[in-house]
């Protein structure tokens, strides 16, 4: 009974509501590193994610339910299981991995076709900027054909998860967009 | 018309109510929405509802991906629920399980030991290769965990992993960790490691040298024994029972240190302890024997005050122990007296045990038991009564004095007099008594007088064995029967329909008495036996008689064949062979002691059954086998008869072995010539006709 009331209460007042955010991208792009950078503000040692990580974090009075899904080819088909009710997608790109830009671009556009993600905002991290030879945000944006995106709030931010650069900037933008959209709705 | 419609409607309504509600689309969709809700509490409620549906037996497997999303949580309760769900449905969604791997691996490092256990247990339990691929690191880590609760779980997981994927388990080298867990400081870990190793050894004895390990860890086991839970204790005692002490000192030491557990409330612990003691008993010094057997007997007596199911198990084990140490419970006869509220299966075992343990040199005790058995024979449950009557004979033959036998006979006579339907059992029992004292005229006359008084023996007796015995008696004491010819004719009339023991008995008796009977009777029986009977043995027998009778010196031949004397019936109780007995003692308190079949025998049978029976209907198979054998027998035995001795006998052997196997498979009771020694061993006392059947068999085998 207690549970029943508390869940009613949650729904009536909108408190405890969590915003779902997905972190996607090819394997090794730095998704898990970014998630824990956000969560605990540190660099953790990671292993390729077989499955997913999920953390709840509070950011600017919002409760974010952040899902980091594995990016290996075998896991990508299951991304779609997680699309429902997603407020935003963070797409992470390894800016040094020029060979796989096309693959990343393809995965991104296929994903954005999905009905369930029509209203989701998109933030792209052009990650690993600390590495020599990394493509700049503009170059990555070109590789990914971001200009083609219509009817969607999107942005690209140069980042280094290792150094902690660009991450909060990106997230700030994302939160502003989400808040706006919620007010509009 | 209207009422019929109503009926149909009512029927439909009822059947819908009775059948489990098939979850409608809407219901599942609602659950799914709940599972992905942005509100944590709503998600948890939805998980609970999903599990609830699952436990009701509804198929909620389509929610798998959505339930799985909730596995990563700090809420232990929620985690448990999701794990429960995953365990249940993982095999129906093997591909999706990959999504859980990351969480499993992370959970195996959780600060909460319960969660570490949950994760490793699930990983090694789910039959999904994708998960097993990632089990290595968590398993290794938990095997070395600081927390003994986690270690003892991990140790069991190794055995589980072994069952799912032997190669992987060996490749990971976790078996070595398992072996070192035998030296763990925590007794529960030691016990579980022992259990795991035993299990693995059972699957493939070549991967762990269990006996060697047990040998080198006896002192650890003895230490751990006093500190662990009862189930762990059973495992450790089981391992100790596989160890042979080096000398009498060590044997005595082991016995002393386990003896305390003879008083445990859990009968399984008591039995396991008894097993260890029995194992060491042959080694100890004579002067200590008395004290130990006292302890043993009081332990055995104590299990007789447990619930009936356990009593049954205890009785089966006692039966085995008694065969090795018959004097063990000699003073405890009364404990086994049947109580009015014992279930039938316990009653039957108790009778068997009492007859076995009674001291055959103690007249007073035998008399007590005889009175007791007679009382049982006046009860109403047919199996119980039969067993009691059988018990009376067994007891009389065991005590053996003619006076006592006469007394038992009087009891039997009184019993038939009181109750009509005991004729079958008493007929068999009395013939057995007579076979024990063949020279006692008084007994013979009494029995014949009674049987002779039955006007229509054909319809008085029902069972094959009883009829067989009755006819045998007529053949043996023809002068004590009036209207012998009439009585025999009654039996012969149904010759073709009778079962084979009766047929054989009729055949022999008619041949034996052929000079006193009209020639047409003999002719008639021989003809029926060679043409209208399916049973090969009967046909064979009839053929042989017929040939003998047509020889020039037929009278002496027939005399030689028929007048030989049956061996005196010395022991009415069946025994195990020494070899079987030793095996059974080693496998005490396992399923072997219930079936009275050592594991090696049971495993063999299983394989046999699988090979032959696969894909065939039972009766189809039965007919096929019978035809095949009948054909071979006809070819080999009948045609070659006489002129090719060795070949005949060997092929005869082969086919009769084959028959044995088939009979075992079909669960037939083997007939006369085809009883192998093995089947004799296993013929359990639950078969009420058992001993009498065997006796009747050697009557038949004589000819
Ligand atoms: N130099 C540099 N290395 C990074 C950066 N971000 C992540 N890495 C490294 O890249 C490797 C992969 O990082 P992860 O966070 O595990 O990658 P992922 O996207 O989660 O990969 P999957 O789980 O397989 O999909 C790790 O060795 C990280 O230390 C970065 O900004 N700079
Ligand atoms: Mg990752």
């Amino acid at each position: 009974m207690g549970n029943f009331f508390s869940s009613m209460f949650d729904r009536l007042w909108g408190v405890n509501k969590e915003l779902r955010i997905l972190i996607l991208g090819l394997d090794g792009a730095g998704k898990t590193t970014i998630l824990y950078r956000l969560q605990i503000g540190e660099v953790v040692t990671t292993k390729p994610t077989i499955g997913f990580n999920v953390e709840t974090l509070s950011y600017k009075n919002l409760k974010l339910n952040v899902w980091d899904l594995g990016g290996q080819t075998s896991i990508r088909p299951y991304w779609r299981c997680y699309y429902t009710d997603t407020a935003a997608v963070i797409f992470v790109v390894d800016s040094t991995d020029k060979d796989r830009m096309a693959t990343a671009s393809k995965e991104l556009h296929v994903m954005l076709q999905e009905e369930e993600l029509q209203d989701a905002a998109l933030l792209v991290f052009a990650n690993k900027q600390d590495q020599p030879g990394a493509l700049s945000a503009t170059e990555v944006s070109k590789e990914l054909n971001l200009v083609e995106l219509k009817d969607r709030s999107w942005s690209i931010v140069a980042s280094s998860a290792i150094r902690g650069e660009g991450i909060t900037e990106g997230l700030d933008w994302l939160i502003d967009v989400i808040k706006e959209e919620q007010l509009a709705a | 018309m209207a009422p019929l419609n109503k009926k149909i409607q009512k029927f439909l309504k009822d059947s819908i109510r009775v059948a489990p509600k098939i979850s409608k689309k809407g219901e599942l969709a609602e659950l799914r929405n709940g599972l992905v809700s942005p509100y944590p509490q709503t998600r948890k409620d939805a998980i609970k509802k999903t599990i609830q549906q699952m436990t009701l037996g509804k198929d909620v497997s389509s929610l798998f991906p959505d339930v799985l999303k909730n596995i990563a949580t700090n809420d232990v309760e929620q985690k448990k629920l999701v794990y429960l769900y995953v365990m249940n449905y993982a095999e129906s969604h093997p591909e999706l399980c990959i999504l859980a791997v990351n969480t499993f691996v992370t959970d195996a490092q959780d600060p909460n030991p319960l969660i570490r256990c949950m994760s490793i247990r699930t990983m090694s339990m789910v039959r999904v290769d994708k998960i097993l691929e990632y089990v290595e690191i968590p398993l290794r880590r938990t095997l070395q965990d600081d927390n003994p609760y986690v270690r003892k779980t991990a140790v069991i997981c190794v055995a589980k992993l072994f069952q799912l994927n032997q190669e992987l388990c060996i490749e990971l080298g976790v078996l070595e960790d398992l072996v070192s867990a035998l030296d763990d400081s925590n007794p529960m870990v030691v016990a579980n490691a022992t259990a795991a190793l035993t299990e693995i050894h059972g699957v493939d004895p070549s991967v762990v040298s269990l006996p060697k390990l047990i040998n080198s860890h006896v002192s650890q086991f003895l230490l751990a024994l006093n500190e662990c839970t009862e189930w762990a204790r059973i495992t450790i005692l089981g391992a100790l029972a596989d160890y042979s002490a080096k000398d009498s000192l060590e044997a005595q030491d082991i016995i002393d240190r386990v003896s305390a557990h003879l008083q445990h409330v859990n009968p399984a612990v008591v039995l396991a302890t008894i097993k260890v003691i029995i194992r060491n008993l042959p080694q100890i010094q004579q002067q200590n024997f008395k004290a130990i057997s006292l302890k043993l007997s009081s332990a055995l007596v104590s299990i007789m005050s447990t619930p009936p199911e356990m009593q049954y198990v205890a009785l089966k084990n006692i039966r085995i122990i008694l065969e090795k140490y018959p004097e063990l419970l000699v003073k405890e006869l009364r404990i086994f007296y049947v109580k009015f509220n014992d279930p039938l299966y316990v009653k039957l075992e108790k009778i068997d045990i009492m007859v076995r343990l009674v001291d055959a040199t103690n007249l007073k005790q035998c008399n007590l038991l005889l009175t007791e058995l007679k009382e049982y024979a006046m009860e109403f449950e047919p199996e119980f009564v039969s067993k009691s009557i059988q018990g009376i004979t067994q007891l009389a033959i065991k005590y053996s004095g003619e006076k006592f036998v006469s007394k038992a006979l009087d009891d039997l006579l009184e019993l038939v007099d009181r109750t009509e339907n005991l004729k079958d059992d008493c007929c068999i029992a009395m013939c057995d008594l007579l076979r024990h004292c063949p020279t006692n005229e008084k007994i013979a006359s009494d029995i014949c007088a009674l049987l002779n008084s039955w006007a229509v023996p054909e319809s008085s007796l029902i069972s094959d064995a009883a009829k067989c015995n009755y006819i045998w008696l007529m053949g043996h004491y023809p002068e004590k029967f009036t209207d012998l010819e009439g009585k025999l004719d009654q039996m012969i009339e149904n010759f073709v329909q009778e079962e084979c023991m009766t047929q054989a008995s009729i055949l022999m008796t008619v041949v034996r008495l052929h000079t006193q009977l009209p020639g047409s009777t003999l002719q008639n029986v021989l003809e029926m036996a060679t043409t209208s009977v399916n049973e090969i043995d009967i046909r064979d027998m009839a053929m042989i008689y017929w040939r003998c009778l047509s020889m020039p010196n037929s009278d002496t031949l027939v005399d030689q064949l028929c007048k030989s004397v049956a061996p005196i019936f010395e022991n009415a109780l069946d025994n195990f062979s020494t070899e079987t007995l030793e095996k059974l003692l080693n496998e005490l308190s396992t399923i072997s002691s219930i079936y009275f079949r050592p594991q090696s025998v049971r495993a063999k049978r299983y394989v046999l059954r699988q090979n032959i029976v696969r894909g065939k209907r039972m009766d189809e198979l039965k007919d096929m086998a019978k035809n095949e054998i009948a054909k071979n027998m006809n070819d080999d035995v009948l045609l070659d008869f006489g002129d090719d001795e060795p070949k005949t006998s060997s092929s005869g052997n082969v086919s009769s072995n084959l028959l044995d196997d088939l009979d075992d498979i079909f669960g037939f009771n083997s007939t006369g010539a085809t009883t192998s020694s093995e089947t004799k061993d296993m013929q359990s006392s639950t078969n009420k006709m058992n001993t009498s059947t065997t006796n009747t068999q050697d009557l038949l085998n004589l000819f």
Side-chain angles (χ1 to χ4, degrees), chain B residues 346-494:
Chain B
V346 168
K347 285 181 178 165
L348 299 182
E349 293 307 316
K350 279 185 167 177
I351 293 181
D352 188 56
I353 294 291
M354 284 194 287
V355 177
R356 282 173 197 281
L357 72 80
V358 77
D359 179 1
T361 58
N362 183 338
L363 179 60
K364 207 175 135 212
Q365 207 186 32
C366 289
N367 270 327
L368 267 177
L369 182 54
L370 185 61
T371 323
E372 189 73 15
L373 287 172
K374 190 176 156 198
E375 234 160 73
Y376 300 160
M378 291 189 258
E379 296 279 336
F380 53 91
E381 277 166 300
E383 290 95 337
F384 180 47
V385 171
S386 288
K387 183 82 186 173
S388 313
I389 291 176
Q390 193 192 344
I392 291 178
T393 331
Q394 290 169 333
L395 173 66
I397 292 173
K398 186 171 177 183
Y399 185 78
S400 178
E402 298 217 346
K403 236 180 166 172
F404 192 80
V405 174
S406 302
K407 196 171 162 201
L409 179 61
D410 289 342
D411 285 346
L412 290 176
L413 291 170
E414 199 187 319
L415 283 169
V416 201
D417 202 39
R418 279 174 59 114
T419 327
E420 264 294 292
N421 54 13
L422 297 186
K423 280 182 177 162
D424 270 71
D425 293 314
C426 287
C427 174
I428 298 167
M430 291 187 295
C431 288
D432 284 352
L433 289 182
L434 187 57
R435 297 247 341 259
H436 184 64
C437 318
T439 51
N440 189 318
E441 266 305 306
K442 168 88 172 46
I443 293 181
S445 311
D446 283 353
I447 296 176
C448 292
L450 173 73
L451 298 199
N452 189 35
S453 70
W454 295 343
V456 201
E458 214 302 298
S459 52
S460 317
L461 297 172
I462 300 157
S463 74
D464 191 28
K467 288 180 189 171
C468 169
N469 273 286
Y470 180 85
I471 298 164
W472 169 80
L473 199 69
M474 285 201 286
H476 225 74
Y477 300 95
E479 70 286 353
K480 293 197 197 308
F481 282 82
T482 54
D483 189 22
L484 186 72
E485 203 184 313
K487 288 188 168 103
L488 261 178
D489 277 345
Q490 279 182 22
M491 304 303 262
I492 294 170
E493 214 165 283
N494 286 332

Side-chain angles (χ1 to χ4, degrees), chain A residues 26-33 46-49 70-72 127-128 130-131 160-162:
Chain A
L26 302 189
D27 45 307
K31 300 181 291 296
T32 308
T33 318
T46 61
K47 278 197 285 306
T49 311
Q72 293 186 2
N127 197 30
K128 306 202 183 176
D130 53 291
Q131 290 292 87
S160 163
I162 295 283

Side-chain angles (χ1 to χ4, degrees), chain A residues 3-4 6-7 10-11 14-18 20 49-54 65 67 74-75 78 81-82 84-85, chain B residues 36 38-43 45 48 65-66 68-69 71-72 95-96 98-103 106 134 137:
Chain A
N3 288 346
F4 175 72
S6 68
S7 61
D10 285 358
R11 248 173 281 177
V15 288
N16 284 333
K17 176 163 175 155
E18 292 170 349
R20 281 170 60 87
T49 311
I50 313 299
F52 63 87
N53 290 293
V54 58
N65 203 211
W67 297 74
S74 58
I75 304 174
Y78 302 112
C81 299
Y82 297 81
T84 331
D85 266 334
Chain B
V36 297
Y39 303 101
Q41 190 58 51
T42 312
R43 290 200 297 264
D45 288 348
K48 282 187 185 160
D66 296 310
L68 201 59
K69 285 175 198 163
I71 197 171
E95 355 56 69
L96 285 173
I98 198 170
L99 297 174
V101 169
N102 192 55
T103 315
T106 320
Y134 298 97
I137 296 169

Side-chain angles (χ1 to χ4, degrees), chain B residues 208-328:
Chain B
V208 282
S209 52
L210 188 63
K212 223 160 135 196
L213 288 171
I214 292 179
N215 272 1
S216 55
H217 287 84
V218 172
S219 55
Q220 278 93 326
F221 291 155
L222 285 170
L223 271 178
L225 200 53
N226 297 320
E227 295 172 50
C228 55
T229 66
E230 50 197 273
W231 296 110
R233 217 168 270 185
I234 295 169
T235 314
I236 292 185
L237 286 166
L240 281 173
D242 284 336
Y243 172 69
S244 331
K246 285 187 278 299
D247 49 37
S248 68
L249 259 170
E250 192 184 24
Q252 183 68 45
D253 181 50
I254 292 177
I255 292 180
D256 289 345
R257 291 176 68 175
V258 299
S259 293
H261 304 287
L262 285 174
Q263 268 117 43
H264 202 281
V265 283
N266 182 338
V269 175
V270 179
L271 269 181
T273 314
I274 290 176
K275 188 176 171 186
V276 177
I277 297 183
I278 294 275
R279 171 72 189 232
N280 287 289
L281 211 48
Q283 288 218 52
I284 60 148
Q285 256 143 27
Q286 203 50 45
Q287 72 264 24
N288 299 331
F289 193 86
K290 193 90 198 279
I292 297 170
S293 40
L294 262 176
K295 277 187 200 161
L296 270 182
S297 81
S298 71
L300 287 171
V301 167
S302 77
I303 341 183
M304 290 311 294
S305 47
T306 52
E309 294 83 356
M310 288 175 194
Q311 282 187 41
Y312 179 74
V313 174
L315 285 164
K316 288 279 188 182
N317 283 288
I318 289 176
R319 152 88 174 82
I320 298 170
I321 298 172
L322 276 186
E323 192 145 333
K324 176 97 178 185
Y325 302 103
E327 70 291 356
L328 202 59

Side-chain angles (χ1 to χ4, degrees), chain A residues 53-68:
Chain A
N53 290 293
V54 58
E55 299 295 340
T56 309
L57 32 122
S58 300
Y59 198 83
K60 299 198 170 167
N61 285 332
L62 284 182
K63 264 208 163 155
L64 304 182
N65 203 211
V66 188
W67 297 74
D68 153 42

Side-chain angles (χ1 to χ4, degrees), chain B residues 568-682:
Chain B
I568 291 188
F569 193 28
E570 298 286 5
N571 178 15
L573 292 164
D574 50 344
N575 293 98
F576 303 122
S577 68
T578 339
E579 189 193 0
T580 312
L581 179 60
E582 284 310 314
K583 280 191 193 149
L584 286 177
L585 282 169
N586 281 339
E587 290 169 31
L588 225 49
S589 91
T590 64
I591 194 84
S592 308
S593 37
I594 303 295
Y595 288 130
F596 294 150
R597 278 181 183 198
Q599 202 193 344
S600 47
V601 176
R602 292 203 325 272
K604 204 172 73 202
R605 295 280 162 110
Y606 181 66
V607 172
L608 198 73
R609 201 174 291 226
Q610 277 212 320
N611 286 345
I612 300 184
V613 180
R614 193 179 300 139
K616 294 228 167 57
R617 282 216 335 277
M618 198 43 121
D619 39 4
E620 193 185 340
L621 196 71
K622 216 148 75 176
D623 288 342
M624 217 176 70
K626 289 267 172 202
N627 288 340
E628 178 72 9
I629 291 165
K631 202 174 114 239
N632 289 346
M633 297 277 265
N634 278 335
D635 292 346
D636 292 343
V637 182
L638 294 185
L639 299 182
D640 292 349
F641 178 69
D643 37 47
D644 194 356
E645 197 83 51
K647 188 185 161 205
T648 313
S649 61
S650 71
S651 59
N653 257 342
V654 170
S655 5
S656 76
N657 281 343
L658 206 57
L659 260 180
D660 270 0
D661 290 345
L662 288 166
D663 281 353
D664 288 340
I665 291 165
F666 300 137
F668 296 156
N669 223 340
S670 300
T671 53
T674 59
T675 309
S676 69
S677 61
E678 201 173 52
T679 26
K680 256 183 207 142
D681 278 343
M682 56 139 281

